[in-house]
Structure formats: C-alpha cells, structure tokens
Amino acid sequence: MDADPVTTNPEHYSVVFENDRVRVLEYIDAAGDKTTPHEHPDSVMITLSDFQRRLHAEGNFRDVDLPAGKAMWLAAQRHAGENIGETPTHVIFVELKDATREKSTSGWLGPAQLAP
C-alpha cells in the first residue's frame, strides 16, 4: 500500500497483530481529530466505541454515525477522515492480505452496512 495508514497517520493507527494472511490495526482518535489521505485493503471493521466521522474521497464526503460493538465489511478504499462527534473513535481493522488492493468500484465510502 503506498498510503499505509500506519505510515501516513501513525498517531492514530498502530499494528496490533500481523502474519502472512492478515494485519490487525487499532485506530484511536479524539473529537475534532483528522487524518490525511490513506488506503485500506478489503477489511473487517469492528467498532469499540460509538462515534461520528466524516470520510472524504475524491471531492466527496460521507458522514457515518456508528455504534460500539458492530462488525462490518469495509471494501478497499482511499479516504481521509475527521471525527465530527463529541466522543473518541476506537476501531479495530482486520485487513485481508490476499484481498484486492484496488479501489472499490462500488463508489461506496466507509463500511458497507451495519450488521444486524
């Protein structure tokens, strides 16, 4: 990945586990924090806190309001983000190493949907 979030935003992303199949990242920020553009491969995102974020990509943005305790699919994408809520964001990403690293053609930004 040429825009690895651990490299582009090391104050927010850290590697908590890695092997030849997956890489697990922890993301933590505070209200008002922003990230620079970075890329995610196909991943599973697990929310550990309730949060509100604005995701920016290619001149567009999408606001997401997510509850704690959800696991969601995150298609490969490049974006920047900002915490637009009043609470910290705390998330785990399980990145799939054998998944495509190409940008999603779906045009969807952020997680695909909330799990029931």
Side-chain angles (χ1 to χ4, degrees):
M1 241 183 303
D2 62 345
D4 184 337
V6 176
T7 302
T8 61
N9 297 276
E11 67 280 14
H12 298 296
Y13 286 93
S14 61
V15 177
V16 295
F17 176 81
E18 185 168 13
N19 66 18
D20 61 332
R21 304 285 305 273
V22 299
R23 181 172 79 157
V24 180
L25 302 182
E26 181 177 37
Y27 176 85
I28 300 173
D29 74 10
D33 284 352
K34 296 180 180 183
T35 61
T36 59
H38 57 276
E39 296 177 357
H40 294 280
D42 286 343
S43 306
V44 174
M45 181 176 85
I46 303 150
T47 59
L48 301 178
S49 66
D50 298 338
F51 60 87
Q52 295 175 312
R53 297 191 59 73
R54 179 166 290 150
L55 301 173
H56 301 269
E58 298 179 3
N60 298 312
F61 73 90
R62 176 175 177 229
D63 290 346
V64 294
D65 187 355
L66 298 173
K70 294 293 181 178
M72 293 159 263
W73 178 251
L74 183 74
Q77 60 190 263
R78 179 181 177 89
H79 63 234
E82 62 183 301
N83 183 330
I84 59 172
E86 297 180 9
T87 62
T89 305
H90 193 186
V91 176
I92 297 291
F93 293 93
V94 180
E95 299 180 337
L96 306 178
K97 289 190 174 183
D98 58 352
T100 179
R101 295 197 187 278
E102 294 179 16
K103 183 180 167 192
S104 172
T105 58
S106 71
W108 193 257
L109 187 58
Q113 63 183 357
L114 292 178

